[in-house]
Amino acid sequence: MHTAPAVRYPVMRSGRAGALQAALWLPGAAAVAGWMASAPKLGPPQVLAAGLLLATAFACLRARRRSPPGQLGWDGQHWRWEGASSGPGLPEGTLSLHLDLQSLVLVRFRPARGGPLWLWLDRRALPGRWHALRCALHARVPAPDAVPAQPRRGVP
């Protein structure tokens, strides 16, 4: 069984990820604004919708401001995160892919200790390593105690 090659990839704030978030938020904002403008009188539903819209905008901006720059590394078996606040050594963790747009992906890195990090990985950060990173993202890591299947006798 082959695993993906080792790779280290820079993680930074992606302008394309911000544009995607804005593109998903703006139609909702337009719909709520149109609903509020067409209502003869603003009622609780419109006020609630506007409040939720503002809360989602605040959450997106806060997450974007807090997105940590650093390096994500794959050594063939383990994911590691090296950020400004990671301290000495590279903390290991698990990585799960949540959105794959071919040249922009959203992943969640869960270190062994501490809370998860949501990271946007952008092809533009380092195009030469993008293919190796995508191979690592889609690689299946065998369990450490897994026993390889024995070939059946008489089957070529």
Side-chain angles (χ1 to χ4, degrees):
M1 172 178 253
H2 298 282
T3 62
V7 65
R8 286 181 62 146
Y9 202 81
V11 179
M12 59 187 105
R13 287 191 187 119
S14 168
R16 293 188 319 151
L20 175 65
Q21 290 170 333
L24 293 173
W25 183 82
L26 285 172
V32 169
W35 184 33
M36 292 176 80
S38 68
K41 178 181 166 197
L42 291 182
Q46 289 91 356
V47 173
L48 178 64
L52 289 173
L53 189 67
L54 290 175
T56 58
F58 176 74
C60 283
L61 290 173
R62 183 172 178 242
R64 184 162 173 75
R65 261 193 37 211
R66 293 178 134 200
S67 65
Q71 294 249 343
L72 187 62
W74 168 254
D75 64 9
Q77 293 194 340
H78 303 285
W79 286 100
R80 299 179 191 279
W81 170 252
E82 180 180 1
S85 62
S86 62
L90 299 177
E92 287 184 9
T94 59
L95 194 83
S96 53
L97 179 64
H98 286 268
L99 180 64
D100 187 345
L101 300 173
Q102 300 301 312
S103 63
L104 183 68
V105 296
L106 176 63
V107 298
R108 181 179 63 193
F109 177 77
R110 291 186 140 183
R113 288 182 302 239
L117 298 172
W118 288 89
L119 307 168
W120 284 100
L121 307 175
D122 193 333
R123 182 181 191 274
R124 292 180 181 175
L126 194 55
R129 290 193 196 157
W130 185 249
H131 179 71
L133 175 71
R134 286 187 45 84
C135 288
L137 287 172
H138 291 281
R140 299 249 185 240
V141 180
D145 58 348
V147 178
Q150 297 294 325
R152 294 187 301 181
R153 293 179 190 239
V155 177

